[in-house]
Amino acid sequence: MIEFLKGRFPIAAYCPPNPEVVFGGRKFPSAVNDLQYDRMRELGINLVFGSGEGIGTPQEKEVFIAMELCARRNMFYLPTDQIAREYCSNGAELPLWQDLSEAKKKDLDERFEKSLQRYSKNAGFGGIFFCDEPGAVAFPAIAAAQKVFRRICPDKLFYVNMFGYCVTPAQFTYGNMLAKVEPEDCFAEEPKERRYANFVKRYLQQVHPEIYSYDFYPMVTLGGIRTAVHAGMYELFNLTADCIRASEKEIPLWCFLQAGGRWENSLNVRVPNAAEILLQVNVLIALGAKGLEIFPYYFPACWADDPNVEAGLVDVDGNLTDLWHYYYRAFRPLLIHGEFFGSAKYKGYLLSGKYCGLLPDEGALSTVLWNDCIYRGDLKSGIRIEHFSPLLRVESTTELIVGCFEGECP
């Protein structure tokens, strides 16, 4: 575990308060200020992920302000750095890393090291948000950058966020790169769980990450069923955890939480209510998650012209939304017992009762497109256990998942 996270349960915010920026002809004033960072601290956030603002952008100065604001609150900021684009290029504006000569790769490493030296000594620096959802073709480049980073910042986090399992073979292979050849066969295997396992295995072998993070947003409306929860909230977590255990490595698994919906033309992604926020947080903890990440925390200015999206714990004008209060309630146990959850050993989960979920009968469900994605209960994957001392038994009328941990209470 990264030293500065030792004994802490990570709660991270992606899409932090917006810097001063112009989108759609509208100027948004900077929200990188004491008020907004106090709100994050009050909520329980201890990690802040940089987004469009970053090192090498017109908003670079606000990255340094954000790190200072974090330092004063015992929080940590992970900036983005434009130089990462040269490692994870899609081959359009910049050449692919694998096509660079050895001399150019060496030059890139040296420039990355020089860039890190500019900001890595800041007290609020927690690491770098290096890239989001890369394809496997980028793994060697990521590993090369990680080697540079670990030499300069051995006690900080080199953060990469990964795909979930509902993507195409081309995305697994290339991410957002321009595909020049067919996707690799191992990323086209059926079912999707097999190709995702191949993807995770490749990443763990080539990159050797400190943590594994993925994003997946399970609160959906399929066939007009407004209570449907995508099975991936349960299955994807356990599939990924199984892959990590098979690697025989101790790698904490972090997951994103859905804070909104109807974004980027995904109108079937609904806005979670209070119960669904509690469900996400508590299920992931019960299944053994070692870090939780919110997307989006602050409504990104680049979405301001979207007439459908409703998202963020803070709106684009800096006002708290209902989601902030829902998450405040959901995170209270983690703040009280965060030191325990940050260091305890996960032993598995107990399962009791029958899932209801306010779903229609199977006859009605069978007519819904993609109905196999709807969670119906009776979870079988992951570390399911039957006994855990000192509990004698667990009984419930509706489905109940009880996470079991061993550790010293502080």
Side-chain angles (χ1 to χ4, degrees):
M1 172 58 71
I2 303 301
E3 187 62 30
F4 72 86
L5 292 175
K6 190 174 182 179
R8 307 177 76 181
F9 189 91
I11 301 177
Y14 183 37
C15 290
N18 290 316
E20 182 178 306
V21 68
V22 176
F23 275 107
R26 177 182 171 187
K27 182 177 181 180
F28 297 88
S30 175
V32 184
N33 56 46
D34 285 297
L35 171 63
Q36 297 300 341
Y37 277 73
D38 281 343
R39 286 171 166 175
M40 284 194 282
R41 180 184 58 183
E42 182 182 1
L43 192 72
I45 289 167
N46 46 41
L47 290 178
V48 180
F49 295 155
S51 185
E53 76 290 346
I55 303 300
T57 72
Q59 295 82 25
E60 180 183 286
K61 66 178 182 180
E62 299 204 57
V63 173
F64 288 90
I65 296 171
M67 285 193 285
E68 182 180 343
L69 291 169
C70 282
R72 296 204 299 261
R73 293 162 176 80
N74 197 24
M75 297 161 57
F76 293 90
Y77 190 90
L78 278 68
T80 60
D81 190 324
Q82 287 294 294
I83 203 168
R85 297 172 61 247
E86 297 186 51
Y87 286 96
C88 299
S89 167
N90 64 9
E93 298 176 1
L94 297 166
L96 297 174
W97 179 87
Q98 58 264 41
D99 293 339
L100 298 177
S101 66
E102 290 304 312
K104 288 185 177 180
K105 288 177 181 177
K106 183 173 183 287
D107 174 71
L108 177 56
D109 288 347
E110 290 173 350
R111 288 188 289 111
F112 183 34
E113 178 176 341
K114 185 176 180 180
S115 185
L116 284 170
Q117 297 283 10
R118 292 183 53 229
Y119 54 86
S120 61
K121 298 298 189 292
N122 190 291
F125 175 76
I128 188 171
F129 188 151
F130 191 73
C131 67
D132 188 35
E133 298 182 339
V137 71
F139 293 172
I142 293 170
Q146 182 192 55
K147 185 177 179 181
V148 176
F149 181 85
R150 285 182 173 167
R151 187 172 66 249
I152 307 303
C153 312
D155 59 342
K156 303 299 182 182
L157 178 59
F158 184 87
Y159 176 87
V160 176
N161 183 55
M162 307 299 287
F163 285 120
Y165 65 172
C166 295
V167 299
T168 66
Q171 286 175 296
F172 279 131
T173 307
Y174 300 104
N176 68 343
M177 293 184 176
L178 302 179
K180 296 183 178 180
V181 294
E182 290 297 312
E184 288 191 47
D185 290 343
C186 67
F187 300 133
E189 292 182 4
E190 294 291 345
K192 64 182 181 298
E193 289 81 3
R194 286 183 62 184
R195 55 181 180 260
Y196 191 71
N198 292 335
F199 180 73
V200 176
K201 180 179 179 181
R202 176 84 62 86
Y203 181 69
L204 298 182
Q205 287 176 337
Q206 295 189 357
V207 179
H208 308 290
E210 294 93 354
I211 62 102
Y212 188 96
S213 167
Y214 68 81
D215 63 323
F216 186 86
Y217 304 106
M219 301 306 164
V220 294
T221 298
L222 298 174
I225 304 171
R226 295 193 56 81
T227 60
V229 176
H230 198 293
M233 188 172 87
Y234 304 81
E235 295 173 350
L236 176 57
F237 181 91
N238 286 329
L239 170 62
T240 309
D242 286 344
C243 292
I244 293 173
R245 281 190 291 272
S247 74
E248 299 183 345
K249 298 176 182 178
E250 292 286 336
I251 300 174
L253 178 52
W254 295 10
C255 308
F256 269 89
L257 300 166
Q258 182 177 336
R262 300 194 298 272
W263 51 52
E264 298 176 344
N265 298 315
S266 299
L267 299 184
N268 64 316
V269 178
R270 69 169 179 273
V271 180
N273 58 33
E276 290 168 337
I277 298 300
L278 286 168
L279 180 69
Q280 289 182 82
V281 171
N282 291 322
V283 164
L284 291 173
I285 296 298
L287 294 178
K290 285 295 186 179
L292 296 176
E293 308 155 271
I294 304 167
F295 174 81
Y297 171 78
Y298 198 100
F299 190 98
C302 59
W303 284 359
D305 290 337
D306 188 327
N308 298 308
V309 64
E310 182 180 337
L313 280 63
V314 185
D315 69 23
V316 75
D317 295 312
N319 303 306
L320 299 183
T321 69
D322 289 342
L323 288 168
W324 191 94
H325 299 285
Y326 299 161
Y327 273 104
Y328 181 87
R329 176 187 174 192
F331 286 158
R332 288 312 89 189
L334 286 176
L335 293 190
I336 297 169
H337 304 293
E339 188 174 344
F340 172 80
F341 284 113
S343 58
K345 177 73 174 178
Y346 180 70
K347 304 302 291 184
Y349 67 90
L350 301 169
L351 188 68
S352 174
K354 183 177 180 180
Y355 185 77
C356 173
L358 302 178
L359 297 174
D361 61 34
E362 280 298 323
L365 280 175
S366 67
T367 66
V368 175
L369 185 65
W370 310 118
N371 75 85
D372 59 319
C373 297
I374 299 174
Y375 182 69
R376 290 165 167 83
D378 194 23
L379 183 62
K380 294 181 173 64
S381 59
I383 306 177
R384 181 174 175 179
I385 57 179
E386 298 300 325
H387 306 283
F388 186 74
S389 179
L391 293 177
L392 298 180
R393 67 178 181 271
V394 174
E395 295 182 355
S396 60
T397 54
T398 56
E399 188 173 76
L400 174 68
I401 298 174
V402 179
C404 301
F405 301 80
E406 284 184 351
E408 295 293 328
C409 291

